[in-house]
Amino acid sequence: MQIQVHSDNHIQGSARLADWVSATVTDKFDRYGDDLTRVVVHLADDNAHKSGATDKRCHIEARPKGQAPLSVTHKAESLEFALDGALEKLSHALDHHMGKLRAKRAAAQREENIGISHADHLLEEDFLENQMARSA
């Protein structure tokens, strides 16, 4: 899983910030390491140098393998709270998305198994009919 961190002009994008964000994202989504190709984090200060309750914004886009990207946004009073809120939202979105994929795969597997057992049953009937025809 590749992690990219971007910030706007009002947030100093340092290596320390990128390392902190990357470590936080990795800790939160380590279990999806094989399912995600990339996670892109955008940090922004919406009101520039003014402070406020929803001044900082964190937008995260996760790209599951072979699927459409999932995107969430969270606004808060600090970058830490904005990142934590966005990670929590993305965690719920990924759990829901991956759960739906697992359910579809399980249903397809069950249908395939039913189809195979039905085909085996038909082959067995044909075999028994041929055996009876030869015996008679």
Side-chain angles (χ1 to χ4, degrees), residues 102-117:
R102 278 192 289 276
K104 284 182 182 178
R105 288 183 194 133
Q109 183 67 34
R110 280 193 303 274
E111 286 180 14
E112 184 178 304
N113 289 342
I114 290 171
I116 289 172
S117 64

Side-chain angles (χ1 to χ4, degrees), residues 115-136:
I116 289 172
S117 64
H118 181 67
D120 288 345
H121 181 68
L122 292 176
L123 287 172
E124 185 178 353
E125 284 181 2
D126 286 345
F127 176 76
L128 291 175
E129 285 177 12
N130 287 340
Q131 289 291 76
M132 298 222 19
R134 287 185 189 153
S135 324

Side-chain angles (χ1 to χ4, degrees), residues 32-33 58 60 67 78 84 86 99 101 110 131:
Y32 296 117
C58 179
I60 304 177
Q67 302 293 319
S78 71
D84 288 344
L101 288 177
R110 280 193 303 274
Q131 289 291 76

Side-chain angles (χ1 to χ4, degrees), residues 13-78:
S14 64
R16 185 174 169 217
L17 176 68
D19 290 343
W20 169 69
V21 171
S22 294
T24 306
V25 169
T26 300
D27 287 345
K28 187 74 172 181
F29 299 121
D30 191 36
R31 65 181 179 201
Y32 296 117
D34 294 336
D35 297 325
L36 297 176
T37 59
R38 182 174 29 175
V39 176
V40 181
V41 180
H42 298 275
L43 301 171
D45 186 348
D46 288 340
N47 294 330
H49 301 291
K50 302 173 194 171
S51 62
T54 58
D55 185 38
K56 308 294 190 263
R57 178 173 37 92
C58 179
H59 176 85
I60 304 177
E61 182 178 284
R63 296 178 181 263
K65 289 181 182 174
Q67 302 293 319
L70 298 172
S71 177
V72 297
T73 300
H74 188 76
K75 292 183 178 185
E77 61 196 30
S78 71

